[in-house]
Amino acid sequence: MTRIYLIRHAEAEGNLYRIAQGQYDSILTDRGWRQVRALEGRFSPIHIDAVYSSDLYRTCATASAIYLPKSLPLLRRKGLREIHVGAWEQRTWGDIARTDAEQMENFGRHPDLWCVEGAESPRQVLDRAMEALLAIAGENRGKIAAVFSHGYVIRLLLAALQGFSLEQLAETPVGDNTAVSLLETDENGVLQVVFRDDNSHLQTPAFLAGEKVRRRANGLEPGLFFQPLRLPEQLDLLKSLSGQEADPGEALVGYLGEEPVGLVAFGALEGKAGRISLAFIREDCRKRGFGVQLIGQAVRHWRPLGAESLRLSLPAGCPARQFFLDYGFQPAGTAKGGEILEKSIAYDPAFLARP
């Protein structure tokens, strides 16, 4: 009998920042790395013969939970990649919901109707992912393999193995980040789903004790969309959002629907650190998961310009300090009576390497 553990990657930037990451190489969040450690503990007593992953960064990093402690090579398979979402790649879900609501609904509930310029079709994704999965099963007859892939791909695979058509995909669940499914071959060598989407390793008291960040209601909860701040015509908006009147330089306004709720401004590139000069969420919209999306926009702005970290300065006693610490910023010095915080956004070359 052949066994395959099919595992979704840990929480990555797109999941947290509400950005369509598709085949973009996003890194894992701090919460994602906590999930990796929990996954490592789960598989510590389980024998694994081989570890496979899509060749995208977030799956390779998550697979380190198994292949590193067990001293196994990581076998990358391009066929296990997440769906390429074409013109949606790297857009916020809030922007997509605003401009393409019908296709966003189709993406989650009617994949047979989903069509976006430059994107793979769900059928194409299912075909190439199933081909990769069956090849892995063939390479590991009588053995146990761990296979790391992505949320949409895994949902398509499990639905097909359980006899659901694309038209019925909405009837199947969506697994959490690092959710584990087990496949086994029957007497005829056909893969069967033993269990799916198990996240019990994320329900332990030790893991839950570290859960500080709000969880979303669902994976496609849209969030904000962003547009450049336009001065001087939006000076009143700048004052209402931040209390400031001085031109902050390049900045984005975050909108919920058509309502402006936040603002993020970018300073200078300081060596390999991209500065956030201003980040503000309207008081009545705080603690709703919007603030972290400002960080996501800073990552989108600075990483293509060569930044390997984000940097910001806070005045002494700033109430936002704990928010930034919760999302991975660390103390990095003092300046003008305040504190400098910094967060790494760098890639680890070990997880970028592709055959």
Side-chain angles (χ1 to χ4, degrees), residues 2 133-141:
T2 302
L133 182 66
L134 294 177
I136 290 169
E139 294 168 14
N140 292 275
R141 289 190 178 90

Side-chain angles (χ1 to χ4, degrees), residues 6 21 24 38 44 56 69 84 114 128 156 162 171 245 256 267-268 274 279 289 294 334 337 347 350 354:
L6 186 57
Q21 53 193 351
Y24 173 77
S44 178
L56 297 181
H84 191 286
W114 184 72
R128 53 112 162 140
L156 288 171
Q162 291 183 316
E171 302 173 26
E245 298 185 35
L256 181 65
L294 304 183
T334 58
Y347 292 111
R354 293 179 181 172

Side-chain angles (χ1 to χ4, degrees), residues 342-355:
E342 197 158 333
K343 170 187 175 66
S344 174
I345 59 171
Y347 292 111
D348 183 333
F351 305 133
L352 275 174
R354 293 179 181 172

Side-chain angles (χ1 to χ4, degrees), residues 59-261:
T59 41
C60 295
T62 307
S64 68
I66 296 179
Y67 81 84
L68 286 180
K70 296 185 183 298
S71 299
L72 294 168
L74 179 61
L75 305 171
R76 295 172 171 87
R77 294 292 184 268
K78 186 176 179 179
L80 296 171
R81 280 186 181 188
E82 183 59 293
I83 184 172
H84 191 286
V85 292
W88 285 8
E89 290 275 343
Q90 282 293 281
R91 289 174 60 191
T92 67
W93 287 113
D95 184 36
I96 294 168
R98 174 174 170 265
T99 61
D100 208 357
E102 180 180 359
Q103 288 301 333
M104 186 166 175
E105 172 74 9
N106 288 341
F107 186 68
R109 300 190 60 82
H110 306 290
D112 53 308
L113 301 178
W114 184 72
C115 182
V116 168
E117 181 182 357
E120 294 179 282
S121 72
R123 171 55 64 185
Q124 290 172 321
V125 175
L126 176 59
D127 288 346
R128 53 112 162 140
M130 187 65 76
E131 181 181 4
L133 182 66
L134 294 177
I136 290 169
E139 294 168 14
N140 292 275
R141 289 190 178 90
K143 297 180 180 180
I144 304 173
V147 175
F148 289 82
S149 190
H150 303 262
Y152 204 75
V153 170
I154 291 174
R155 191 183 187 198
L156 288 171
L157 287 171
L158 294 176
L161 291 172
Q162 291 183 316
F164 291 93
S165 67
L166 280 177
E167 292 80 1
Q168 297 172 308
L169 189 69
E171 302 173 26
T172 67
V174 179
D176 289 340
N177 292 113
T178 69
V180 179
S181 301
L182 177 60
L183 315 177
E184 291 181 351
T185 53
D186 62 17
E187 62 275 9
N188 298 314
V190 177
L191 282 175
Q192 304 287 326
V193 179
V194 179
F195 63 78
R196 62 174 293 168
D197 303 322
D198 181 79
N199 69 346
S200 56
H201 54 288
L202 305 183
Q203 305 304 315
T204 66
F207 184 84
L208 293 175
E211 286 284 76
K212 298 179 181 179
V213 179
R214 170 189 175 271
R215 299 194 66 185
R216 300 182 307 278
N218 63 76
L220 293 182
E221 182 183 4
L224 306 181
F225 73 92
F226 292 84
Q227 292 184 338
L229 175 69
R230 302 184 309 277
L231 294 179
E233 59 264 40
Q234 288 188 311
L235 179 60
D236 288 344
L237 174 61
L238 172 65
K239 290 166 61 176
S240 69
L241 287 177
S242 67
Q244 299 189 21
E245 298 185 35
D247 186 346
E250 189 170 1
L252 296 173
V253 178
Y255 294 84
L256 181 65
E258 300 302 316
E259 185 74 14
V261 300

